[in-house]
Amino acid sequence: MVNIPKERRTYCAGKACKKHMVHKVTQYKAGKASNFAQGKRRYDSKQMGFGGQTKPIFHKKAKTTRKIVLRLECKKCKTKKQLCIKRTKHFELGAKKADSGHQY
């Protein structure tokens, strides 16, 4: 379980800053795949007509974890950068830590 705060003070390479600033942290999410990318156009044209499935479909998934990518946005100049952290199964942003010890 990885728990990361929603704000992080780290180096900003933007033209205005060039020093350590406070950044807003979010999790990177891949955008919707375009239908007009070259690979998709080639795949669709190859699939057309008779002959069944033409390219292999991957089934042998071995990994149980994901590499987490953080998206850091400078609060001052709005410059964005990405930061990759290690593989984890569970990832949380800014969750409150449960108090350890006995609760009444």
Side-chain angles (χ1 to χ4, degrees), residues 43-103:
Y43 177 78
D44 288 342
S45 74
K46 196 172 183 183
Q47 285 291 94
M48 272 193 304
F50 298 110
Q53 180 67 34
T54 58
K55 291 183 78 69
I57 298 175
F58 184 71
H59 291 297
K60 296 183 177 180
K61 186 175 182 295
K63 302 278 188 280
T64 59
T65 59
R66 290 250 169 126
K67 285 183 178 177
I68 304 297
V69 178
L70 301 179
R71 192 164 169 270
L72 306 172
E73 182 181 341
C74 178
K75 291 241 176 158
K76 184 182 173 197
C77 68
K78 306 288 186 233
T79 302
K80 295 159 191 75
K81 70 175 183 178
Q82 291 181 342
L83 177 72
C84 183
I85 59 174
K86 291 183 179 177
R87 293 180 168 273
T88 65
K89 282 188 182 181
H90 303 290
F91 174 76
E92 287 179 353
L93 260 180
K96 297 278 185 255
K97 262 198 283 188
D99 293 334
S100 59
H102 188 61
Q103 297 284 314

Side-chain angles (χ1 to χ4, degrees), residues 6-7 11 25-26 36 42 46 50 74 81 97 101-102:
K6 289 188 178 178
E7 284 189 348
Y11 183 75
V25 180
T26 52
F36 300 105
R42 185 183 293 121
K46 196 172 183 183
F50 298 110
C74 178
K81 70 175 183 178
K97 262 198 283 188
H102 188 61

